[in-house]
Structure formats: C-alpha cells, structure tokens
Amino acid sequence: MTVTLHPQTAPAPVNADTLVVEKTPLERYVAPEKPSLVGLSRAALGEALAGIDVPPAQIRMRVQQLWHWLYVRGAQSFDQMTSVSKELRSTLDRHFTLARPEVVAEQISVDGTRKWLLRLPSQDPGERPHEVECVYIPEADRGTLCLSSQVGCTLNCSFCHTGTQRLVRNLVAGEIVGQVMIARDRLGDWTGVERARGDGLPTEGDRLVSNIVMMGMGEPLYNFEAVRDALLVAQDGDGLGISRRRITLSTSGVVPMIPRAGEEIGVMLAVSLHAVRDELRNELVPLNRRYPIEELLEACRNYPGVSNARRITFEYVMLKGVNDSIADAKALVRLLKGIPAKINLIPFNPWPGTRYECSDWEQIEKFSQVVFDAGYASPVRTPRGRDILAACGQLKSATEKLSARERLALRAMAMTD
Ligand code: SAH
Ligand code: SF4
C-alpha cells in the first residue's frame, strides 16, 4: 500500500548540459551523501558497513557494537563509541551520521506531558519543510510516546483535521525511530545518562519511555513497511527494548493490512470505529466504503494473537447528535460481542471550520454507562497536558488536532500493558 506523494516530486530534474540526473531533496534525505544510521535494521546496518569495506568477518560484531551505542546508549556522535577503534570511528564519521529529525519546538506541561515539533525535509526545492509532532505522556508507572507515521493523511475522515491537509508524505523508518530517539535524548532515558526529573515523570519502572502508540499524524497501515521496520527496531530487546505488548498501532480500518500488522509486527491493535452503521461510518471514515464494518470486525476477530489478555481497542469519537445516542451505545456493545475488546470513548476535539461538536459531558457519561454495564471498564479518561495544548496555536497548523490524539494516547496507555 503506498501513499500518493506530492505531485511536484515526480521527476528528478535533468540538467540538459551535462545529462546529470540531480537528486530531489527527498531523495537526498532517503539516500543522502551522508545518511543517518538511525532506523536501519541490523541487516541494513551490516550492508552499510560492508559498503565502507568493513571486512565480512567483522560485520556481525560491528553491527552489535553500533546497535548498542545507538539504541542502548543513545550515542549522538561516533566519538562516543569508545569500544570501536578510532580508525573505524573516523571512517564511519566520513560516511554516515547519527542524525535524528530536527526539534524546532518543545513544550512541557505542568503535569509532565511533553510535545515536540519536528521538522522533516521537504520533497521539493522551495517548498516549506514538513512538520510533525510527537507527544510524551508520563504516568507514575509508565511513559507513553505518541508517534506520527505520515505528514498529513490521504483518508479524509470528516471529523479529522489531519485529513484536510493537502500535503502528504510517508515518513521513512528512520524518521519514526528518530521520534523515539528524540524523546529518550530529551528525557535522558539512555543507559549511562542522567535521567530527567520533574513533576509528573514516572517514578516506577526503569524506563521513562516504556510504551508507544501509533496515534499521531497519518494512517500507519498506509505506510506499512516503514512502520513495520521502525517498530521492529523499537522492539529489539538488545536495543530500544519496548516490547510489542507495549506498542499499539491505531488504524482507521485498512482491512487487507491488518493480518500483516499482526504477523509481521505483532503489536497491539486499535481500530477507529466511530460508528455502528455503515451508512454513518461511510460519512465519518470514508475508507468504510471500501472496507465496511463487518469486514473490519472479521479482520479483528482473526487478528493474530488476539485474546482476552491481548484485546483490541475500539476508538469511538463522541460527536454530538451524530453517533452518541443510547441506541448507538447499545448497538456498539452488541456489535463487539465475541471480540476480545476494549472501548475508548474520545471527546471530539473541534478545529476551525469543522461541522461537528463534541457531545455534552452528560451524554458521554450516559453512553459510557451503557458500555460499562456491558462489562467494559472506565472508558473515558481526563485529558492531560491542557496547559500546553492551550498554547498549541504557537505550533504549526499541521498539528492542530493534537489534543485528540493526546487523549487517545492517554487512553491507550491503559491497555498496552
Ligand atoms: N490514522 C489512524 C491513527 C491516527 S488518528 C486512525 O485513524 O486510527 C488517531 C485517532 O484520533 C483516531 O482514532 C482518530 O479517529 C482520532 N481523531 C481524529 N480526529 C479527531 C478529533 N478531531 N477529535 C477526536 N479524535 C480524533
Ligand atoms: Fe487519517 Fe486517522 Fe485522520 Fe482518518 S482519523 S484522516 S485515517 S489520521
């Protein structure tokens, strides 16, 4: 499954005089003169080393060393890699970097929630760089990182601001892993580095970043390979070490990719359901026209590894007068019968120009009571980081609907253990 790239990126310009094909900025980023090693699989790292003439007999050991420095120690320069010979360090430095995406803004809430605005290279000369956000939500016993998989989204869900953005591009695996690296850099969450302290940061557990939710910008199953590669790097027990049970991938329902997500990534699944009838879901999540509710639920029933201990989370955004009646609540619990499920009710986060409103609190409570009576535990949680969300306008419009995702991320934390 691919995503349409911005049309202007298509052909690389050809210099007629010399007939040299020049690289676009994106191509240079993906295959730059000096690429970053962040996000490469072990195999790709081995190839990179072979490419700079590291002897074949040494490659395995060198990959091990680099992996450790990158993903356990969080090295930001080759100089830090004291177990690697000086000569190899300088060869590595000539050919590669350890660069992460650039952090252009950081906001820290009084409750410890942190938000980073990240700048990614644009595809076209003259085009503004792309921006995505990454959010860290700490609790006493865990810290959850909400990651983006695309700049924008092609799916146009009618209540989602990201879907209104014209500019869309997939993040490469390094940009997804890079978000984890940045969070650990900013929090000092590396072995041998002093941990950040402060109000709201986890006090239990040995990691500040212990969980991941793919609930930021974009549809992760429309960027499958990069998301898979990145999440496999994140899961590696000798590296970033975030177990697949602590990683949740949220999808709007890309049915054909759901089995692959289970088989090839093995993470927890969250599904953006939002409606119990196809007619309404077609309007809210237009992808439903291609993969209607019954097919989506069938894919959930068959999700590899699903069980009462590993439930699927169904996200349900509360839209006033649209999907929030008691009849809808009853239909929802009927629909999910027999699927090991959790339900997260998400207060709608309005944005300029939207035709929807958030359901009244009373209605959310009534709805949630029906869900609760059917055996699903406390589905609505209090949002966090409100003070920095209030300052959200200081960040770029591309990320205006962050508070919704943040709420989701909060809820997801309850189920990723
Ligand atoms: N594309 C994926 C993951 C990113 S969106 C997906 O759709 O699942 C993460 C969640 O935020 C989804 O459940 C989405 O439906 C929800 N969301 C989007 N816009 C929202 C809004 N304005 N208010 C509340 N939730 C919203
Ligand atoms: Fe894309 Fe998810 Fe927004 Fe739908 S809700 S437009 S799939 S990011």
Side-chain angles (χ1 to χ4, degrees):
M1 198 68 65
T2 50
V3 72
T4 325
L5 286 178
H6 197 266
Q8 289 168 34
T9 56
V14 176
N15 181 327
D17 292 329
T18 56
L19 284 180
V20 171
V21 179
E22 290 170 9
K23 284 181 178 169
T24 65
L26 178 65
E27 285 167 332
R28 275 204 298 281
Y29 186 78
V30 176
E33 289 71 25
K34 209 173 160 180
S36 172
L37 296 179
V38 168
L40 296 187
S41 64
R42 284 170 193 272
L45 211 46
E47 281 168 30
L49 293 180
I52 56 165
D53 296 330
V54 172
Q58 282 187 20
I59 289 201
R60 221 181 121 89
M61 181 261 292
R62 296 299 185 198
V63 166
Q64 253 349 41
Q65 287 180 324
L66 278 175
W67 198 264
H68 177 83
W69 283 107
L70 263 169
Y71 297 125
V72 177
R73 310 292 293 266
Q76 299 195 37
S77 81
F78 292 107
D79 276 356
Q80 288 170 262
M81 303 186 172
T82 45
S83 60
V84 177
S85 72
K86 265 201 167 151
E87 201 191 328
L88 180 57
R89 263 150 48 195
S90 78
T91 311
L92 284 166
D93 193 42
R94 273 201 308 281
H95 292 90
F96 303 111
T97 73
L98 301 172
R100 295 86 153 112
E102 185 191 352
V103 181
V104 290
E106 175 178 66
Q107 288 182 290
I108 306 180
S109 157
V110 286
D111 70 15
T113 301
R114 293 170 193 228
K115 227 167 38 170
W116 297 285
L117 180 67
L118 309 178
R119 181 168 295 159
L120 309 174
S122 67
Q123 300 159 343
D124 300 307
E127 190 183 80
R128 285 207 340 249
H130 301 160
E131 280 163 356
V132 289
E133 276 188 9
C134 171
V135 182
Y136 173 69
I137 306 118
E139 288 186 309
D141 62 342
R142 71 186 69 189
T144 301
L145 200 58
C146 179
L147 305 182
S148 294
S149 57
Q150 299 182 302
V151 176
C153 183
T154 50
L155 287 175
N156 300 321
C157 299
S158 55
F159 57 90
C160 173
H161 201 194
T162 304
T164 65
Q165 241 182 274
R166 273 185 54 241
L167 188 68
V168 177
R169 90 152 162 88
N170 281 334
L171 267 60
V172 297
E175 291 169 332
I176 300 171
V177 175
Q179 295 171 61
V180 183
M181 308 291 280
I182 282 168
R184 287 216 161 141
D185 291 343
R186 309 296 291 194
L187 293 163
D189 192 25
W190 297 115
T191 300
V193 170
E194 200 179 330
R195 268 165 77 128
R197 280 173 223 277
D199 289 344
L201 291 180
T203 46
E204 300 156 39
D206 53 352
R207 299 267 37 160
L208 292 177
V209 177
S210 60
N211 293 50
I212 289 175
V213 290
M214 295 300 304
M215 292 186 183
M217 198 181 277
E219 168 50 58
L221 296 187
Y222 267 18
N223 184 15
F224 184 80
E225 276 83 12
V227 167
R228 175 196 58 201
D229 295 351
L231 293 182
L232 292 178
V233 170
Q235 287 173 32
D236 190 291
D238 294 325
L240 292 171
I242 302 174
S243 99
R244 62 203 172 95
R245 304 207 44 179
R246 289 174 168 262
I247 302 179
T248 300
L249 183 150
S250 174
T251 179
S252 57
V254 187
V255 168
M257 303 306 286
I258 289 178
R260 286 189 67 188
E263 282 152 19
E264 297 177 37
I265 322 179
V267 289
M268 308 293 285
L269 185 68
V271 169
S272 297
L273 189 62
H274 307 317
V276 290
R277 288 172 291 112
D278 280 323
E279 200 193 355
L280 178 60
R281 195 163 189 272
N282 286 345
E283 193 186 305
L284 299 179
V285 185
L287 187 65
N288 193 68
R289 294 197 195 112
R290 206 173 322 157
Y291 309 117
I293 294 176
E294 198 36 61
E295 277 181 38
L296 175 57
L297 295 184
E298 194 53 26
C300 292
R301 276 186 204 100
N302 298 325
Y303 187 66
V306 70
S307 69
N308 281 337
R310 300 193 62 202
R311 291 167 190 260
I312 292 173
T313 298
F314 290 89
E315 296 152 288
Y316 196 95
V317 63
M318 299 299 296
L319 303 170
K320 187 174 184 169
V322 174
N323 66 354
D324 64 349
S325 71
I326 296 307
D328 285 321
K330 289 181 178 162
L332 177 64
V333 296
R334 267 201 310 275
L335 197 62
L336 299 184
K337 214 164 175 231
I339 304 178
K342 296 189 176 202
I343 298 173
N344 282 321
L345 302 181
I346 312 156
F348 171 63
N349 179 48
W351 39 273
T354 180
R355 63 186 129 126
Y356 299 109
E357 282 177 74
C358 183
S359 307
D360 295 331
W361 191 251
E362 260 176 35
Q363 190 60 23
I364 298 181
E365 284 193 332
K366 282 188 200 152
F367 195 106
S368 117
Q369 190 63 46
V370 174
V371 168
F372 181 80
D373 290 345
Y376 300 96
S378 64
V380 189
R381 282 179 156 220
T382 324
R384 293 257 308 267
R386 278 205 153 138
D387 52 338
I388 60 170
L389 294 178
C392 199
Q394 293 164 353
L395 299 175
K396 295 289 175 196
S397 61
T399 51
E400 272 169 39
K401 58 170 292 300
L402 186 71
S403 59
R405 292 192 293 275
E406 214 160 11
R407 287 186 184 111
L408 272 169
L410 277 166
R411 265 166 229 112
M413 286 187 305
M415 49 96 190
T416 47
D417 224 352

